[in-house]
Amino acid sequence: MVMAFTLSACIEEPKEEENIIISDSYIILESTIYATEVYTFESSIEGPTIMIVGGIHGDEVAGWKVALDLIERDDFTGKVIIIPRANYLATTLVSRYPGQDNNGLYDGIIYSDLNRIFPGKIDGTMTELIAHAIIQEVEKYQPDYIVDLHESKRSYASKISPLIGDEIIYGNSKSTFFAYDMVDLFNKQYLEEGDTKFAVDNSAPEGSFNNYCGNNYEAIVFTIETNRQLSLSKRITQQNQLIDILFKLAKENFI
Ligand SMILES: [Zn+2]
């Protein structure tokens, strides 16, 4: 019998590697009013370990809303760890920290700015306890990238009391080029007419998550700071665009 093959039957299209993601979640700070969820995603496709933290400041809404939306994505590669609402009660109150307008007093407990108290301690104040719990997650996963999602009240380009909005703040010298690459790509690809160009800064204050991680881990560490003068939807869009760039560059850098 004569077998006939067509050429197309013999040449297989190269298949895209199937991406199987195992996801998990668990609670840290369990049985406290700060109990919050950690989400992990482990892909069958190798890649870097990326940790994304939102909600260290509860009133910087775009950051933690984007982190919450991220857990619905199904295209991660490598390992991704997300803590969307690190300062859970602060996000519920939409406040920088509980009791911010009352000398830190909220419901009979004194709180302080979580982002000035890292690495915290297990037997310290409530705020130090939260910082400590978040650092335990960094210790556990030893991420290659640590990303902290924040917002600032004004742009660095504001004429009145400029702050740190529209910036990527890097946490150590290892992160410098990555931060510049991110900003370059963002300004080329996503900037719309009238937008302020994103800029790079290294001004993370002592006790901030960025500063502590930058000084104590080998990771690439940076903070995204959108500008709260813009609409929430615009800020969410920008945070998502910057995170897309992070995933793209981190994938390219992975050997
Ligand atoms: Zn902040």
Side-chain angles (χ1 to χ4, degrees):
M1 192 168 83
V2 178
M3 305 278 280
F5 292 94
T6 61
L7 189 60
S8 63
C10 298
I11 301 169
E12 278 201 11
E13 288 283 317
K15 270 189 192 156
E16 234 179 67
E17 197 179 343
E18 199 181 358
N19 188 6
I20 300 162
I21 300 172
I22 297 169
S23 57
D24 193 12
S25 71
Y26 53 91
I27 308 280
I28 55 169
L29 296 156
E30 204 157 8
S31 11
T32 70
I33 48 170
Y34 273 104
T36 197
E37 205 144 14
V38 179
Y39 299 84
T40 63
F41 304 85
E42 191 152 11
S43 164
S44 56
I45 301 174
E46 280 189 37
T49 298
I50 299 175
M51 177 178 273
I52 298 174
V53 176
I56 281 183
H57 287 143
D59 56 343
E60 298 169 16
V61 179
W64 60 263
K65 283 201 186 283
V66 163
L68 267 178
D69 286 345
L70 273 180
I71 62 178
E72 305 298 334
R73 278 177 72 149
D74 60 2
D75 59 347
F76 296 131
T77 55
K79 189 162 196 166
V80 177
I81 302 104
I82 304 171
I83 310 176
R85 300 172 74 176
N87 199 348
Y88 188 85
L89 182 58
T91 61
T92 305
L93 297 168
V94 194
S95 172
R96 188 174 176 89
Y97 56 91
Q100 187 196 358
D101 301 322
N102 191 28
N103 297 318
L105 182 65
Y106 178 81
D107 208 14
I109 296 173
I110 294 284
Y111 297 92
S112 62
D113 188 339
L114 176 59
N115 215 27
R116 297 292 180 275
I117 214 157
F118 281 94
K121 53 184 171 182
I122 195 157
D123 56 352
T125 63
M126 188 69 98
T127 310
E128 284 172 323
L129 189 66
I130 299 163
H132 178 264
I134 295 164
I135 292 300
Q136 293 309 107
E137 298 304 298
V138 178
E139 290 282 339
K140 189 196 293 183
Y141 295 106
Q142 297 289 325
D144 302 303
Y145 296 83
I146 301 172
V147 185
D148 194 10
L149 306 181
H150 283 253
E151 300 206 88
S152 179
K153 283 184 178 157
R154 282 183 296 281
S155 173
Y156 72 89
S158 166
K159 290 197 171 61
I160 308 151
S161 307
L163 288 170
I164 52 171
D166 304 312
E167 287 191 356
I168 298 280
I169 298 170
Y170 62 89
N172 55 27
S173 56
K174 189 182 175 182
S175 314
T176 316
F177 287 118
F178 195 86
Y180 275 96
D181 283 350
M182 277 193 68
V183 160
D184 279 349
L185 259 180
F186 179 85
N187 288 340
K188 273 182 201 143
Q189 276 187 16
Y190 295 115
L191 215 65
E192 294 177 337
E193 214 179 318
D195 286 353
T196 300
K197 277 187 173 181
F198 260 70
V200 171
D201 195 353
N202 65 347
S203 63
E206 190 145 340
S208 64
F209 183 57
N210 177 315
N211 183 282
Y212 180 77
C213 291
N215 287 327
N216 290 279
Y217 300 103
E218 281 298 300
I220 287 179
V221 177
F222 62 89
T223 303
I224 294 175
E225 294 273 1
T226 39
N227 168 15
R228 284 166 67 183
Q229 299 294 315
L230 305 175
S231 70
L232 180 59
S233 66
K234 173 85 176 176
R235 286 139 52 200
I236 285 175
T237 300
Q238 289 185 332
Q239 293 251 359
N240 274 317
Q241 289 166 335
L242 286 159
I243 287 167
D244 280 344
I245 291 172
L246 152 72
F247 286 137
K248 176 183 149 56
L249 292 179
K251 207 172 187 176
E252 286 171 10
N253 285 353
F254 183 74
I255 303 159

mmCIF file of all heavy atoms in Angstrom, residues 139-156:
data_model
loop_
_atom_site.group_PDB
_atom_site.id
_atom_site.type_symbol
_atom_site.label_atom_id
_atom_site.label_comp_id
_atom_site.label_asym_id
_atom_site.label_seq_id
_atom_site.Cartn_x
_atom_site.Cartn_y
_atom_site.Cartn_z
ATOM 1 N N GLU A 139 11.788 36.553 53.905
ATOM 2 C CA GLU A 139 12.790 35.550 54.316
ATOM 3 C C GLU A 139 12.441 34.177 53.736
ATOM 4 O O GLU A 139 13.309 33.445 53.283
ATOM 5 C CB GLU A 139 12.829 35.446 55.848
ATOM 6 C CG GLU A 139 13.417 36.669 56.542
ATOM 7 C CD GLU A 139 14.940 36.690 56.481
ATOM 8 O OE1 GLU A 139 15.549 35.629 56.286
ATOM 9 O OE2 GLU A 139 15.511 37.794 56.610
ATOM 10 N N LYS A 140 11.163 33.861 53.768
ATOM 11 C CA LYS A 140 10.717 32.545 53.325
ATOM 12 C C LYS A 140 10.984 32.333 51.837
ATOM 13 O O LYS A 140 11.450 31.295 51.415
ATOM 14 C CB LYS A 140 9.212 32.407 53.616
ATOM 15 C CG LYS A 140 8.681 30.997 53.393
ATOM 16 C CD LYS A 140 7.167 30.960 53.314
ATOM 17 C CE LYS A 140 6.471 31.293 54.614
ATOM 18 N NZ LYS A 140 4.991 31.171 54.497
ATOM 19 N N TYR A 141 10.688 33.338 51.024
ATOM 20 C CA TYR A 141 10.744 33.159 49.561
ATOM 21 C C TYR A 141 12.036 33.669 48.936
ATOM 22 O O TYR A 141 12.341 33.327 47.802
ATOM 23 C CB TYR A 141 9.537 33.842 48.905
ATOM 24 C CG TYR A 141 8.233 33.206 49.294
ATOM 25 C CD1 TYR A 141 7.363 33.827 50.180
ATOM 26 C CD2 TYR A 141 7.887 31.951 48.792
ATOM 27 C CE1 TYR A 141 6.171 33.233 50.558
ATOM 28 C CE2 TYR A 141 6.696 31.348 49.160
ATOM 29 C CZ TYR A 141 5.838 31.988 50.043
ATOM 30 O OH TYR A 141 4.668 31.389 50.415
ATOM 31 N N GLN A 142 12.789 34.506 49.641
ATOM 32 C CA GLN A 142 14.025 35.072 49.090
ATOM 33 C C GLN A 142 13.810 35.525 47.638
ATOM 34 O O GLN A 142 14.444 35.024 46.712
ATOM 35 C CB GLN A 142 15.168 34.040 49.164
ATOM 36 C CG GLN A 142 15.531 33.627 50.582
ATOM 37 C CD GLN A 142 16.242 34.742 51.369
ATOM 38 O OE1 GLN A 142 17.003 35.511 50.807
ATOM 39 N NE2 GLN A 142 15.961 34.835 52.651
ATOM 40 N N PRO A 143 12.916 36.473 47.422
ATOM 41 C CA PRO A 143 12.555 36.852 46.034
ATOM 42 C C PRO A 143 13.742 37.481 45.283
ATOM 43 O O PRO A 143 14.638 38.064 45.895
ATOM 44 C CB PRO A 143 11.455 37.908 46.228
ATOM 45 C CG PRO A 143 11.047 37.835 47.657
ATOM 46 C CD PRO A 143 12.204 37.296 48.415
ATOM 47 N N ASP A 144 13.684 37.338 43.964
ATOM 48 C CA ASP A 144 14.657 38.029 43.098
ATOM 49 C C ASP A 144 14.232 39.485 42.899
ATOM 50 O O ASP A 144 15.068 40.342 42.623
ATOM 51 C CB ASP A 144 14.720 37.341 41.729
ATOM 52 C CG ASP A 144 15.102 35.870 41.853
ATOM 53 O OD1 ASP A 144 16.173 35.606 42.425
ATOM 54 O OD2 ASP A 144 14.315 35.008 41.416
ATOM 55 N N TYR A 145 12.920 39.714 42.988
ATOM 56 C CA TYR A 145 12.375 41.075 42.829
ATOM 57 C C TYR A 145 11.402 41.337 43.979
ATOM 58 O O TYR A 145 10.562 40.494 44.277
ATOM 59 C CB TYR A 145 11.609 41.215 41.501
ATOM 60 C CG TYR A 145 12.486 41.044 40.294
ATOM 61 C CD1 TYR A 145 12.796 39.774 39.816
ATOM 62 C CD2 TYR A 145 13.009 42.145 39.626
ATOM 63 C CE1 TYR A 145 13.624 39.606 38.710
ATOM 64 C CE2 TYR A 145 13.834 41.987 38.518
ATOM 65 C CZ TYR A 145 14.138 40.717 38.074
ATOM 66 O OH TYR A 145 14.950 40.559 36.984
ATOM 67 N N ILE A 146 11.527 42.498 44.575
ATOM 68 C CA ILE A 146 10.596 42.904 45.635
ATOM 69 C C ILE A 146 10.014 44.254 45.225
ATOM 70 O O ILE A 146 10.753 45.226 45.036
ATOM 71 C CB ILE A 146 11.317 43.024 46.995
ATOM 72 C CG1 ILE A 146 11.949 41.669 47.380
ATOM 73 C CG2 ILE A 146 10.349 43.510 48.084
ATOM 74 C CD1 ILE A 146 12.843 41.731 48.605
ATOM 75 N N VAL A 147 8.696 44.276 45.065
ATOM 76 C CA VAL A 147 8.036 45.467 44.523
ATOM 77 C C VAL A 147 6.981 45.954 45.521
ATOM 78 O O VAL A 147 6.137 45.179 45.963
ATOM 79 C CB VAL A 147 7.361 45.136 43.172
ATOM 80 C CG1 VAL A 147 6.778 46.390 42.559
ATOM 81 C CG2 VAL A 147 8.352 44.472 42.234
ATOM 82 N N ASP A 148 7.048 47.226 45.842
ATOM 83 C CA ASP A 148 6.146 47.809 46.831
ATOM 84 C C ASP A 148 5.282 48.866 46.128
ATOM 85 O O ASP A 148 5.823 49.786 45.496
ATOM 86 C CB ASP A 148 7.009 48.436 47.942
ATOM 87 C CG ASP A 148 6.212 48.780 49.175
ATOM 88 O OD1 ASP A 148 5.041 48.376 49.263
ATOM 89 O OD2 ASP A 148 6.776 49.448 50.064
ATOM 90 N N LEU A 149 3.960 48.719 46.221
ATOM 91 C CA LEU A 149 3.060 49.603 45.465
ATOM 92 C C LEU A 149 2.524 50.715 46.361
ATOM 93 O O LEU A 149 1.811 50.458 47.327
ATOM 94 C CB LEU A 149 1.898 48.782 44.882
ATOM 95 C CG LEU A 149 2.303 47.571 44.027
ATOM 96 C CD1 LEU A 149 1.064 46.866 43.500
ATOM 97 C CD2 LEU A 149 3.222 47.974 42.885
ATOM 98 N N HIS A 150 2.870 51.943 46.012
ATOM 99 C CA HIS A 150 2.474 53.114 46.804
ATOM 100 C C HIS A 150 1.914 54.207 45.899
ATOM 101 O O HIS A 150 1.880 54.081 44.672
ATOM 102 C CB HIS A 150 3.697 53.681 47.544
ATOM 103 C CG HIS A 150 4.085 52.897 48.744
ATOM 104 N ND1 HIS A 150 3.869 53.324 50.029
ATOM 105 C CD2 HIS A 150 4.687 51.682 48.840
ATOM 106 C CE1 HIS A 150 4.324 52.418 50.875
ATOM 107 N NE2 HIS A 150 4.825 51.407 50.187
ATOM 108 N N GLU A 151 1.534 55.314 46.552
ATOM 109 C CA GLU A 151 1.129 56.522 45.835
ATOM 110 C C GLU A 151 1.614 57.725 46.621
ATOM 111 O O GLU A 151 1.809 57.651 47.842
ATOM 112 C CB GLU A 151 -0.389 56.598 45.749
ATOM 113 C CG GLU A 151 -1.013 55.421 45.029
ATOM 114 C CD GLU A 151 -2.334 55.819 44.428
ATOM 115 O OE1 GLU A 151 -2.306 56.308 43.284
ATOM 116 O OE2 GLU A 151 -3.364 55.680 45.098
ATOM 117 N N SER A 152 1.762 58.835 45.932
ATOM 118 C CA SER A 152 2.176 60.071 46.600
ATOM 119 C C SER A 152 1.106 61.141 46.368
ATOM 120 O O SER A 152 0.376 61.093 45.371
ATOM 121 C CB SER A 152 3.520 60.534 46.037
ATOM 122 O OG SER A 152 3.911 61.728 46.672
ATOM 123 N N LYS A 153 1.030 62.099 47.278
ATOM 124 C CA LYS A 153 -0.013 63.132 47.148
ATOM 125 C C LYS A 153 0.223 64.044 45.955
ATOM 126 O O LYS A 153 -0.707 64.626 45.422
ATOM 127 C CB LYS A 153 -0.093 63.967 48.430
ATOM 128 C CG LYS A 153 -0.824 63.226 49.534
ATOM 129 C CD LYS A 153 -0.999 64.060 50.776
ATOM 130 C CE LYS A 153 -1.784 63.268 51.814
ATOM 131 N NZ LYS A 153 -1.554 63.722 53.163
ATOM 132 N N ARG A 154 1.487 64.186 45.554
ATOM 133 C CA ARG A 154 1.781 65.047 44.404
ATOM 134 C C ARG A 154 2.946 64.483 43.599
ATOM 135 O O ARG A 154 3.748 63.692 44.094
ATOM 136 C CB ARG A 154 2.138 66.469 44.861
ATOM 137 C CG ARG A 154 0.926 67.303 45.243
ATOM 138 C CD ARG A 154 1.304 68.729 45.619
ATOM 139 N NE ARG A 154 2.140 68.779 46.795
ATOM 140 C CZ ARG A 154 1.678 68.655 48.038
ATOM 141 N NH1 ARG A 154 0.396 68.449 48.264
ATOM 142 N NH2 ARG A 154 2.507 68.730 49.056
ATOM 143 N N SER A 155 3.058 64.984 42.375
ATOM 144 C CA SER A 155 4.151 64.578 41.489
ATOM 145 C C SER A 155 5.466 65.223 41.916
ATOM 146 O O SER A 155 5.470 66.302 42.520
ATOM 147 C CB SER A 155 3.817 65.028 40.069
ATOM 148 O OG SER A 155 4.905 64.800 39.216
ATOM 149 N N TYR A 156 6.554 64.602 41.556
ATOM 150 C CA TYR A 156 7.870 65.250 41.725
ATOM 151 C C TYR A 156 7.931 66.529 40.886
ATOM 152 O O TYR A 156 8.708 67.439 41.169
ATOM 153 C CB TYR A 156 9.009 64.298 41.312
ATOM 154 C CG TYR A 156 9.098 64.086 39.818
ATOM 155 C CD1 TYR A 156 9.870 64.925 39.007
ATOM 156 C CD2 TYR A 156 8.373 63.073 39.186
ATOM 157 C CE1 TYR A 156 9.916 64.762 37.628
ATOM 158 C CE2 TYR A 156 8.418 62.899 37.822
ATOM 159 C CZ TYR A 156 9.187 63.747 37.047
ATOM 160 O OH TYR A 156 9.227 63.600 35.693
#
